[in-house]
Amino acid sequence: MEPSAHIDTFARDRLPPPQQWPVLLLDNPDVAYPARLNCAAELLDRAIEAGYGDRPAIWSEVAGQPRVTTYLQLRTRVDRSAHVLVQDMGLKPGNRVLLRGPNTLQMAVALLAVLKAGLVAVPTMPLLRAKELKQIIDKARIGAALCDARMTDELLHCTDRGSEHFCPDLKQVRYFHDDAAGSLERLAADKPATFAACDTAQDDVCLIAFTSGTTGIPKGCMQFHRDVLAMCDLFPRHVLKPEPADVFCGTPPLAFTFGLGGMLCFPLRAGASTVLIEKFTPALLLQAIERFRATIVFTAPTFYRQMAALAPDADLSSLRKTVSAGEALSQATRELWRQTTGIEMMDGLGGTEMIHIFVSAAGRDVRPGSVGRAVPGYVVQVLDDALDPVAPGVIGNLAVRGPTGCRYLADERQMQFVRGGWNLPGDAASLDAEGNLTYHGRTDDMIISSGYNIAGPEVETALLEHPAVAECGVVGAPDALRGQVVKAFIVLRPGFHADDAMAAELQDFVKQAVAAYKYPRAIVFVDALPRTETGKLKRAALRAMQEDARGRRHGDIET
């Protein structure tokens, strides 16, 4: 590793031992970065050096009107804020900084300032509660936080000595999106307009992205400065192919690496612009596409499906490309979106441990039912439990290698995710002879019924083909005879009735679409499905859902 610029070496000291790292594929001109590298400087300073200073960087909505921040204005705000971090807050390279806020210009400024000052950004989802924040703060030994002034409630519990969620390491909090004395903006207003980026090494940790996984105990995924650039220089360069004139728009939070890339880093790396708005519904996202003339959109499959019903009344003439990630994209949703808009969806498979998308396809490379192929720079395989490749078409464990990879913060689960030099995300997949990957769900979500392996997403895809189904989620339900049976939670479209006749109709419909043993033997009609902030279906919550009067079970559990 390169000599670190970090004075506080906590993050580097808690990287996994080298023998537990995945194999990293760095012999690639796309990721041939200099030894000394600061990703924020690369994203901002290099863009201005290229002549983009007066071009739009970030679009906001203020009092219902679009407002633009140019690259030069953005860098000035970032540099002034970096001075606050160093001078007023006394932070040293390597210190961890918790970031808390929605998708706004101010959140982007705070995040980029942390990176440019050589600190370690720890972004957190806006809906996290004090208990969850404490887990992150304690594990990463976070001493400072930057928080949107409108989101103070939960964080205040972490600074209150009388609270059960008190965090002794958290010594100071500064607020942004705030005009009060002592706020980040007020302090930054009097600072110099330029800041010399910290001379960080390419393999200095700059980001700890926390993910809870299946256990609920947070895992801190440590990413280097070079990893932030690699996510910009692989999927975008080879698949997305953005241009400086592009306007990005979408829903994933900046605290989620899908959003960090798609909503901030990708557009900046391309010299393009991005729309940062706090809250979206499908209707509001369509309105934003019209208002800002967005050309590239990132969101989850659920949003695309709901937007398709509203799209005929919207002006989407500016839209060129749409990217889906965060959960499995059904073929039904892909086809519905294409029929409605004429746009072929780009599906993407990625993960926080890998920082972003490593399997995707665009245009003529799209194959029905397939996510795509390995993004250039990555290698994907499907392995059995002994880490041997399986034959084409056989379902096994997805394995991936590339220039990015899993490095958990002081966590024994490192040895579960990385084996034999491969990153093993826990996904069930298959590859055809041409390298096209089909996703079959999480390996821990596979339904085993009477000895048959059944992938929930496949059943969901079949159900979504029925005109009555607006949304659905499929899990395995315990069964004394079969071990498990397929259980579907279904949101119906308006005008359709949740009764036994509808359940039977849907069961017969699935039997005609896939092998009969895969049909849902239990159906629960619900008003809404539990989802994360990023739109991902919460299958664990489905399993725990109680069947109330509205969501009573339909269908026959056969014996």
Side-chain angles (χ1 to χ4, degrees), residues 382-459:
V382 176
L383 308 177
D384 61 20
D385 291 340
L387 301 185
D388 293 321
V390 301
V394 174
I395 298 175
N397 304 301
L398 175 65
V400 58
R401 288 174 176 168
T404 62
C406 177
R407 292 176 298 263
Y408 286 140
L409 167 64
D411 200 307
E412 293 180 354
R413 288 170 290 183
Q414 177 75 19
M415 292 181 287
Q416 299 173 14
F417 199 99
V418 177
R419 293 173 52 210
W422 291 99
N423 297 278
L424 300 172
D427 296 312
S430 60
L431 284 170
D432 68 14
E434 296 179 343
N436 297 296
L437 184 138
T438 299
Y439 178 78
H440 297 280
R442 300 287 298 167
T443 52
D444 51 9
D445 283 335
M446 289 295 287
I447 302 164
I448 303 175
S449 182
S450 298
Y452 291 104
N453 287 343
I454 302 169
E458 182 182 12
V459 183

Coordinates of all heavy atoms in Angstrom, one line a residue, residues 382-459:
V382 N -19.9 -18.3 -12.0 CA -20.9 -19.0 -11.2 C -20.3 -20.3 -10.6 O -19.8 -21.1 -11.4 CB -22.2 -19.3 -11.9 CG1 -23.2 -20.1 -11.0 CG2 -22.9 -18.0 -12.4
L383 N -20.2 -20.4 -9.3 CA -19.4 -21.5 -8.7 C -20.4 -22.3 -7.8 O -21.4 -21.9 -7.3 CB -18.3 -20.9 -7.8 CG -17.4 -19.8 -8.5 CD1 -16.4 -19.3 -7.4 CD2 -16.7 -20.4 -9.6
D384 N -19.9 -23.6 -7.6 CA -20.6 -24.4 -6.6 C -20.0 -24.1 -5.2 O -19.2 -23.3 -5.1 CB -20.5 -25.9 -7.0 CG -19.0 -26.4 -7.1 OD1 -18.2 -25.8 -6.5 OD2 -18.8 -27.5 -7.7
D385 N -20.5 -24.9 -4.2 CA -20.0 -24.6 -2.9 C -18.5 -24.9 -2.7 O -17.9 -24.4 -1.7 CB -20.9 -25.4 -1.9 CG -22.3 -25.0 -1.8 OD1 -22.6 -23.8 -2.2 OD2 -23.2 -25.7 -1.4
A386 N -17.9 -25.7 -3.6 CA -16.5 -26.0 -3.5 C -15.7 -25.0 -4.3 O -14.5 -25.1 -4.5 CB -16.2 -27.4 -4.0
L387 N -16.3 -23.9 -4.8 CA -15.7 -22.8 -5.6 C -15.3 -23.3 -6.9 O -14.3 -22.8 -7.5 CB -14.6 -22.2 -4.8 CG -14.9 -21.5 -3.5 CD1 -13.7 -20.8 -2.9 CD2 -16.1 -20.6 -3.6
D388 N -15.9 -24.4 -7.5 CA -15.6 -24.8 -8.8 C -16.7 -24.3 -9.7 O -17.9 -24.3 -9.4 CB -15.6 -26.4 -8.9 CG -14.4 -27.0 -8.1 OD1 -13.3 -26.4 -8.2 OD2 -14.6 -28.0 -7.4
P389 N -16.4 -23.9 -11.0 CA -17.4 -23.4 -11.9 C -18.4 -24.4 -12.3 O -18.1 -25.6 -12.4 CB -16.5 -23.0 -13.2 CG -15.1 -22.9 -12.7 CD -15.0 -23.8 -11.5
V390 N -19.6 -24.0 -12.4 CA -20.7 -24.9 -12.8 C -20.9 -24.8 -14.3 O -20.4 -23.8 -14.9 CB -22.0 -24.6 -12.0 CG1 -21.8 -24.7 -10.5 CG2 -22.5 -23.2 -12.4
A391 N -21.7 -25.7 -14.9 CA -21.9 -25.7 -16.3 C -22.8 -24.5 -16.7 O -23.6 -24.0 -15.9 CB -22.5 -27.0 -16.8
P392 N -22.7 -24.1 -18.0 CA -23.7 -23.0 -18.4 C -25.1 -23.4 -18.2 O -25.5 -24.6 -18.4 CB -23.4 -23.0 -19.9 CG -21.9 -23.4 -20.1 CD -21.8 -24.5 -19.0
G393 N -25.9 -22.5 -17.7 CA -27.3 -22.7 -17.4 C -27.6 -23.2 -16.0 O -28.8 -23.3 -15.6
V394 N -26.6 -23.7 -15.3 CA -26.8 -24.3 -14.0 C -26.7 -23.2 -12.9 O -25.8 -22.3 -13.0 CB -25.7 -25.3 -13.7 CG1 -25.8 -25.8 -12.2 CG2 -25.8 -26.5 -14.6
I395 N -27.7 -23.2 -12.0 CA -27.7 -22.2 -10.9 C -26.6 -22.5 -9.9 O -26.5 -23.6 -9.4 CB -29.1 -22.1 -10.3 CG1 -30.1 -21.7 -11.3 CG2 -29.1 -21.1 -9.1 CD1 -31.6 -21.7 -10.8
G396 N -25.9 -21.5 -9.5 CA -24.9 -21.6 -8.5 C -24.7 -20.3 -7.8 O -25.6 -19.4 -7.8
N397 N -23.5 -20.1 -7.2 CA -23.2 -18.9 -6.4 C -22.5 -17.9 -7.3 O -21.4 -18.2 -7.9 CB -22.3 -19.3 -5.2 CG -22.9 -20.3 -4.3 OD1 -24.0 -20.1 -3.8 ND2 -22.3 -21.4 -4.1
L398 N -23.0 -16.7 -7.3 CA -22.3 -15.6 -8.1 C -21.0 -15.3 -7.4 O -20.9 -15.1 -6.2 CB -23.2 -14.4 -8.2 CG -22.6 -13.2 -8.8 CD1 -22.3 -13.4 -10.3 CD2 -23.5 -12.0 -8.7
A399 N -20.0 -15.2 -8.2 CA -18.6 -14.8 -7.8 C -18.1 -13.7 -8.7 O -18.3 -13.8 -9.9 CB -17.7 -16.0 -7.7
V400 N -17.4 -12.7 -8.1 CA -17.0 -11.6 -9.0 C -15.6 -11.1 -8.5 O -15.3 -11.2 -7.3 CB -18.0 -10.4 -8.9 CG1 -18.2 -10.0 -7.5 CG2 -17.5 -9.3 -9.8
R401 N -14.8 -10.7 -9.5 CA -13.5 -10.0 -9.2 C -13.4 -8.8 -10.1 O -13.9 -8.8 -11.2 CB -12.3 -11.0 -9.5 CG -12.1 -12.1 -8.5 CD -11.0 -13.0 -9.0 NE -10.8 -14.1 -8.1 CZ -10.0 -15.2 -8.3 NH1 -9.5 -15.3 -9.5 NH2 -9.8 -16.1 -7.4
G402 N -12.7 -7.8 -9.6 CA -12.5 -6.6 -10.3 C -11.5 -5.7 -9.6 O -10.9 -6.1 -8.6
P403 N -11.5 -4.4 -10.0 CA -10.6 -3.5 -9.3 C -11.1 -3.0 -7.9 O -10.4 -2.4 -7.2 CB -10.5 -2.3 -10.3 CG -11.8 -2.4 -11.0 CD -12.1 -3.8 -11.2
T404 N -12.4 -3.3 -7.7 CA -13.0 -3.0 -6.4 C -13.3 -4.3 -5.7 O -13.4 -5.4 -6.4 CB -14.2 -2.1 -6.5 OG1 -15.2 -2.9 -7.3 CG2 -13.9 -0.8 -7.2
G405 N -13.6 -4.3 -4.4 CA -13.9 -5.5 -3.7 C -14.1 -5.3 -2.2 O -14.0 -4.2 -1.7
C406 N -14.6 -6.3 -1.6 CA -15.0 -6.3 -0.2 C -13.8 -6.1 0.8 O -12.9 -6.9 0.8 CB -15.8 -7.5 0.2 SG -16.3 -7.6 1.9
R407 N -13.9 -5.1 1.6 CA -13.0 -4.9 2.7 C -13.8 -4.4 3.9 O -14.1 -3.1 4.0 CB -11.9 -3.9 2.4 CG -10.9 -4.4 1.3 CD -9.9 -3.4 0.9 NE -10.5 -2.2 0.4 CZ -10.7 -2.0 -0.9 NH1 -10.2 -2.8 -1.8 NH2 -11.3 -0.9 -1.4
Y408 N -14.3 -5.2 4.7 CA -15.1 -4.8 5.8 C -14.3 -4.2 7.0 O -13.1 -4.6 7.2 CB -15.9 -6.0 6.4 CG -17.1 -6.5 5.6 CD1 -17.3 -7.9 5.5 CD2 -17.9 -5.6 5.0 CE1 -18.4 -8.3 4.7 CE2 -19.0 -6.1 4.2 CZ -19.2 -7.4 4.1 OH -20.3 -7.9 3.3
L409 N -14.9 -3.3 7.7 CA -14.2 -2.7 8.8 C -14.3 -3.6 10.0 O -15.3 -3.9 10.6 CB -15.0 -1.4 9.2 CG -14.7 -0.7 10.5 CD1 -13.2 -0.2 10.6 CD2 -15.6 0.5 10.8
A410 N -13.1 -4.2 10.3 CA -13.0 -5.1 11.5 C -14.2 -6.0 11.7 O -14.9 -5.9 12.7 CB -12.7 -4.2 12.7
D411 N -14.4 -6.9 10.7 CA -15.6 -7.7 10.8 C -15.3 -9.1 10.3 O -14.7 -9.4 9.3 CB -16.7 -7.1 9.8 CG -18.1 -7.6 10.2 OD1 -18.3 -8.8 10.3 OD2 -19.0 -6.7 10.3
E412 N -15.7 -10.1 11.2 CA -15.4 -11.5 10.9 C -16.1 -12.0 9.6 O -15.8 -13.0 9.0 CB -15.8 -12.4 12.1 CG -14.9 -12.2 13.3 CD -15.3 -13.1 14.5 OE1 -16.3 -13.8 14.3 OE2 -14.6 -13.1 15.5
R413 N -17.2 -11.3 9.3 CA -18.0 -11.7 8.1 C -17.2 -11.4 6.8 O -17.6 -11.9 5.7 CB -19.3 -10.9 8.0 CG -20.3 -11.4 9.1 CD -21.5 -10.5 9.3 NE -21.2 -9.2 9.9 CZ -22.1 -8.3 10.2 NH1 -23.3 -8.5 9.9 NH2 -21.7 -7.1 10.7
Q414 N -16.0 -10.8 6.9 CA -15.1 -10.7 5.7 C -14.9 -12.1 5.1 O -14.9 -12.3 3.9 CB -13.8 -10.1 6.1 CG -12.8 -10.0 5.0 CD -13.1 -8.9 4.0 OE1 -13.9 -8.0 4.3 NE2 -12.5 -9.0 2.8
M415 N -14.7 -13.1 6.0 CA -14.3 -14.4 5.5 C -15.5 -15.2 4.9 O -15.4 -16.2 4.2 CB -13.7 -15.3 6.6 CG -12.3 -14.7 7.0 SD -11.5 -15.7 8.3 CE -12.5 -15.2 9.7
Q416 N -16.7 -14.7 5.1 CA -17.9 -15.2 4.4 C -18.1 -14.6 3.1 O -18.5 -15.3 2.1 CB -19.2 -15.0 5.3 CG -19.1 -15.6 6.7 CD -20.3 -15.1 7.5 OE1 -21.3 -14.6 7.0 NE2 -20.2 -15.4 8.8
F417 N -17.8 -13.3 2.9 CA -18.0 -12.6 1.6 C -16.9 -12.9 0.7 O -17.1 -13.0 -0.5 CB -18.1 -11.1 1.9 CG -18.8 -10.4 0.7 CD1 -20.1 -10.1 0.8 CD2 -18.0 -10.1 -0.4 CE1 -20.7 -9.4 -0.3 CE2 -18.6 -9.4 -1.5 CZ -20.0 -9.1 -1.4
V418 N -15.7 -13.1 1.2 CA -14.5 -13.3 0.3 C -13.9 -14.7 0.6 O -13.5 -15.0 1.7 CB -13.4 -12.3 0.5 CG1 -12.2 -12.6 -0.3 CG2 -13.9 -10.9 0.2
R419 N -13.9 -15.5 -0.4 CA -13.4 -16.9 -0.3 C -12.6 -17.2 -1.6 O -13.1 -16.9 -2.7 CB -14.5 -17.9 -0.1 CG -15.2 -17.8 1.2 CD -16.4 -18.8 1.3 NE -16.0 -20.1 1.0 CZ -16.8 -21.0 0.4 NH1 -18.1 -20.7 0.1 NH2 -16.4 -22.3 0.2
G420 N -11.4 -17.7 -1.5 CA -10.7 -18.1 -2.7 C -10.3 -16.9 -3.6 O -10.2 -17.1 -4.8
G421 N -10.3 -15.7 -3.0 CA -10.0 -14.5 -3.8 C -11.2 -14.0 -4.5 O -11.1 -13.0 -5.2
W422 N -12.4 -14.6 -4.4 CA -13.6 -14.2 -5.0 C -14.5 -13.4 -4.1 O -14.6 -13.8 -2.9 CB -14.4 -15.4 -5.6 CG -13.8 -16.1 -6.7 CD1 -13.1 -17.3 -6.7 CD2 -13.9 -15.7 -8.1 NE1 -12.7 -17.6 -7.9 CE2 -13.2 -16.7 -8.8 CE3 -14.5 -14.7 -8.8 CZ2 -13.1 -16.7 -10.2 CZ3 -14.4 -14.6 -10.2 CH2 -13.7 -15.6 -10.9
N423 N -15.1 -12.4 -4.5 CA -16.2 -11.7 -3.8 C -17.5 -12.6 -4.0 O -17.8 -12.9 -5.2 CB -16.5 -10.3 -4.3 CG -15.3 -9.4 -4.1 OD1 -15.1 -8.8 -3.0 ND2 -14.5 -9.2 -5.1
L424 N -18.1 -13.0 -3.0 CA -19.3 -13.8 -3.0 C -20.5 -13.1 -2.4 O -20.7 -13.1 -1.2 CB -19.1 -15.2 -2.3 CG -17.9 -16.0 -2.8 CD1 -17.7 -17.2 -1.9 CD2 -18.2 -16.5 -4.3
P425 N -21.2 -12.3 -3.3 CA -22.3 -11.4 -2.7 C -23.5 -12.2 -2.1 O -24.3 -11.5 -1.5 CB -22.8 -10.7 -4.0 CG -21.6 -10.8 -5.0 CD -21.1 -12.1 -4.7
G426 N -23.6 -13.5 -2.3 CA -24.7 -14.2 -1.7 C -25.9 -14.3 -2.7 O -27.0 -14.4 -2.3
D427 N -25.6 -14.2 -4.0 CA -26.6 -14.2 -5.0 C -26.6 -15.5 -5.8 O -25.5 -16.1 -6.1 CB -26.4 -13.1 -6.1 CG -26.5 -11.7 -5.4 OD1 -27.5 -11.5 -4.7 OD2 -25.7 -10.9 -5.7
A428 N -27.8 -16.0 -6.1 CA -27.9 -17.2 -6.9 C -28.0 -16.8 -8.4 O -28.8 -15.9 -8.7 CB -29.2 -18.0 -6.5
A429 N -27.2 -17.3 -9.2 CA -27.2 -16.9 -10.6 C -26.8 -18.0 -11.5 O -26.4 -19.1 -11.1 CB -26.1 -15.8 -10.8
S430 N -27.0 -17.8 -12.8 CA -26.5 -18.7 -13.8 C -25.9 -17.9 -15.0 O -26.3 -16.8 -15.2 CB -27.6 -19.7 -14.3 OG -28.7 -18.9 -14.9
L431 N -25.0 -18.5 -15.7 CA -24.4 -17.9 -16.9 C -24.7 -18.8 -18.1 O -24.7 -20.0 -18.1 CB -22.9 -17.8 -16.8 CG -22.4 -16.7 -15.8 CD1 -20.9 -16.9 -15.6 CD2 -22.6 -15.3 -16.4
D432 N -25.0 -18.1 -19.3 CA -25.1 -18.9 -20.5 C -23.7 -19.0 -21.2 O -22.8 -18.5 -20.6 CB -26.2 -18.3 -21.4 CG -25.8 -17.0 -22.0 OD1 -24.7 -16.6 -21.9 OD2 -26.7 -16.3 -22.6
A433 N -23.7 -19.7 -22.3 CA -22.4 -19.9 -22.9 C -21.7 -18.6 -23.4 O -20.5 -18.5 -23.6 CB -22.6 -20.8 -24.1
E434 N -22.5 -17.5 -23.6 CA -22.0 -16.3 -24.0 C -21.7 -15.3 -22.9 O -21.2 -14.2 -23.1 CB -23.0 -15.6 -25.0 CG -23.3 -16.4 -26.3 CD -24.3 -15.7 -27.1 OE1 -25.0 -14.8 -26.6 OE2 -24.3 -16.0 -28.3
G435 N -21.8 -15.8 -21.7 CA -21.5 -14.9 -20.5 C -22.6 -14.0 -20.0 O -22.4 -13.2 -19.2
N436 N -23.9 -14.2 -20.5 CA -25.0 -13.5 -20.0 C -25.5 -14.1 -18.7 O -25.7 -15.3 -18.6 CB -26.1 -13.5 -21.1 CG -25.7 -12.8 -22.4 OD1 -25.5 -11.7 -22.4 ND2 -25.7 -13.6 -23.4
L437 N -25.6 -13.2 -17.7 CA -26.0 -13.6 -16.4 C -27.4 -13.5 -16.1 O -28.0 -12.4 -16.4 CB -25.1 -12.8 -15.4 CG -25.3 -13.3 -13.9 CD1 -24.0 -13.3 -13.2 CD2 -26.3 -12.3 -13.1
T438 N -28.0 -14.5 -15.6 CA -29.4 -14.5 -15.1 C -29.4 -14.5 -13.6 O -28.8 -15.4 -13.0 CB -30.2 -15.7 -15.6 OG1 -30.2 -15.6 -17.1 CG2 -31.7 -15.6 -15.1
Y439 N -30.1 -13.6 -13.0 CA -30.2 -13.5 -11.5 C -31.4 -14.3 -11.0 O -32.5 -14.2 -11.5 CB -30.4 -12.0 -11.1 CG -30.5 -11.8 -9.7 CD1 -29.4 -11.8 -8.8 CD2 -31.7 -11.5 -9.1 CE1 -29.5 -11.5 -7.5 CE2 -31.9 -11.2 -7.7 CZ -30.7 -11.2 -6.9 OH -30.8 -11.0 -5.6
H440 N -31.1 -15.2 -10.0 CA -32.2 -16.0 -9.5 C -32.5 -15.7 -8.0 O -33.2 -16.5 -7.3 CB -31.8 -17.5 -9.6 CG -31.6 -18.0 -11.0 ND1 -32.6 -18.3 -11.8 CD2 -30.5 -18.1 -11.7 CE1 -32.2 -18.7 -13.0 NE2 -30.8 -18.5 -13.0
G441 N -32.1 -14.6 -7.5 CA -32.4 -14.2 -6.2 C -31.2 -14.4 -5.2 O -30.2 -14.9 -5.6
R442 N -31.4 -13.9 -4.0 CA -30.4 -14.2 -3.0 C -30.4 -15.7 -2.6 O -31.4 -16.3 -2.6 CB -30.8 -13.4 -1.7 CG -30.9 -11.9 -1.9 CD -29.5 -11.3 -2.0 NE -28.7 -11.5 -0.8 CZ -27.4 -11.2 -0.8 NH1 -26.7 -10.8 -1.9 NH2 -26.7 -11.4 0.3
T443 N -29.2 -16.2 -2.4 CA -29.0 -17.6 -2.1 C -29.8 -17.9 -0.8 O -30.4 -19.0 -0.7 CB -27.6 -18.0 -1.9 OG1 -26.9 -17.1 -1.0 CG2 -26.8 -17.9 -3.2
D444 N -29.9 -17.0 0.1 CA -30.6 -17.2 1.4 C -32.1 -17.0 1.2 O -32.9 -17.2 2.1 CB -30.1 -16.4 2.5 CG -29.9 -14.9 2.2 OD1 -30.4 -14.5 1.2 OD2 -29.4 -14.2 3.0
D445 N -32.5 -16.6 0.0 CA -33.9 -16.4 -0.3 C -34.5 -17.5 -1.2 O -35.6 -17.5 -1.6 CB -34.2 -15.0 -1.0 CG -34.1 -13.9 -0.1 OD1 -34.4 -14.1 1.1 OD2 -33.8 -12.7 -0.5
M446 N -33.6 -18.4 -1.6 CA -34.1 -19.5 -2.5 C -35.1 -20.3 -1.7 O -34.9 -20.6 -0.5 CB -32.9 -20.4 -2.9 CG -32.0 -19.7 -3.9 SD -32.8 -19.4 -5.5 CE -32.9 -21.1 -6.2
I447 N -36.2 -20.7 -2.4 CA -37.3 -21.4 -1.8 C -37.1 -22.9 -2.2 O -36.9 -23.2 -3.4 CB -38.6 -20.9 -2.3 CG1 -38.8 -19.4 -2.0 CG2 -39.8 -21.8 -1.7 CD1 -39.9 -18.8 -2.7
I448 N -37.0 -23.7 -1.2 CA -36.8 -25.2 -1.4 C -38.0 -25.9 -1.1 O -38.4 -26.0 0.1 CB -35.6 -25.7 -0.7 CG1 -34.3 -25.0 -1.0 CG2 -35.4 -27.2 -1.0 CD1 -33.1 -25.4 -0.2
S449 N -38.8 -26.3 -2.1 CA -40.1 -27.0 -1.8 C -40.1 -28.4 -2.5 O -39.9 -28.5 -3.7 CB -41.2 -26.1 -2.5 OG -42.5 -26.7 -2.2
S450 N -40.3 -29.4 -1.6 CA -40.3 -30.8 -2.1 C -39.1 -31.1 -2.9 O -39.1 -31.9 -3.9 CB -41.6 -31.0 -2.9 OG -42.7 -30.8 -2.1
G451 N -37.9 -30.5 -2.5 CA -36.7 -30.8 -3.2 C -36.4 -29.9 -4.4 O -35.3 -30.0 -4.9
Y452 N -37.3 -29.1 -4.8 CA -37.2 -28.2 -5.9 C -36.6 -26.9 -5.4 O -37.1 -26.3 -4.4 CB -38.5 -28.0 -6.7 CG -39.0 -29.1 -7.4 CD1 -40.1 -29.9 -6.9 CD2 -38.5 -29.5 -8.6 CE1 -40.6 -31.0 -7.6 CE2 -39.0 -30.6 -9.3 CZ -40.0 -31.3 -8.8 OH -40.5 -32.4 -9.5
N453 N -35.6 -26.3 -6.1 CA -35.2 -25.0 -5.9 C -36.0 -24.0 -6.7 O -36.1 -24.1 -7.9 CB -33.7 -24.8 -6.2 CG -32.8 -25.5 -5.3 OD1 -33.2 -25.9 -4.2 ND2 -31.5 -25.7 -5.7
I454 N -36.6 -23.0 -6.0 CA -37.5 -22.1 -6.7 C -37.0 -20.7 -6.4 O -36.9 -20.3 -5.2 CB -38.9 -22.2 -6.2 CG1 -39.4 -23.7 -6.5 CG2 -39.9 -21.2 -6.9 CD1 -40.8 -24.0 -5.8
A455 N -36.7 -19.9 -7.4 CA -36.3 -18.5 -7.2 C -37.5 -17.6 -7.1 O -38.3 -17.5 -8.1 CB -35.4 -18.1 -8.4
G456 N -37.6 -16.8 -6.0 CA -38.7 -15.9 -5.9 C -38.9 -14.9 -7.0 O -40.0 -14.7 -7.5
P457 N -37.8 -14.3 -7.5 CA -38.0 -13.3 -8.6 C -38.6 -13.9 -9.9 O -39.3 -13.2 -10.6 CB -36.5 -12.9 -8.9 CG -35.8 -13.0 -7.5 CD -36.4 -14.3 -7.0
E458 N -38.4 -15.2 -10.1 CA -39.0 -15.8 -11.3 C -40.5 -15.9 -11.2 O -41.2 -15.6 -12.1 CB -38.4 -17.2 -11.5 CG -38.9 -17.9 -12.8 CD -38.4 -19.3 -13.0 OE1 -37.8 -19.8 -12.0 OE2 -38.7 -19.9 -14.0
V459 N -41.0 -16.2 -10.0 CA -42.4 -16.2 -9.7 C -43.0 -14.8 -9.8 O -44.1 -14.6 -10.3 CB -42.7 -16.9 -8.4 CG1 -44.2 -17.1 -8.2 CG2 -42.1 -18.3 -8.4

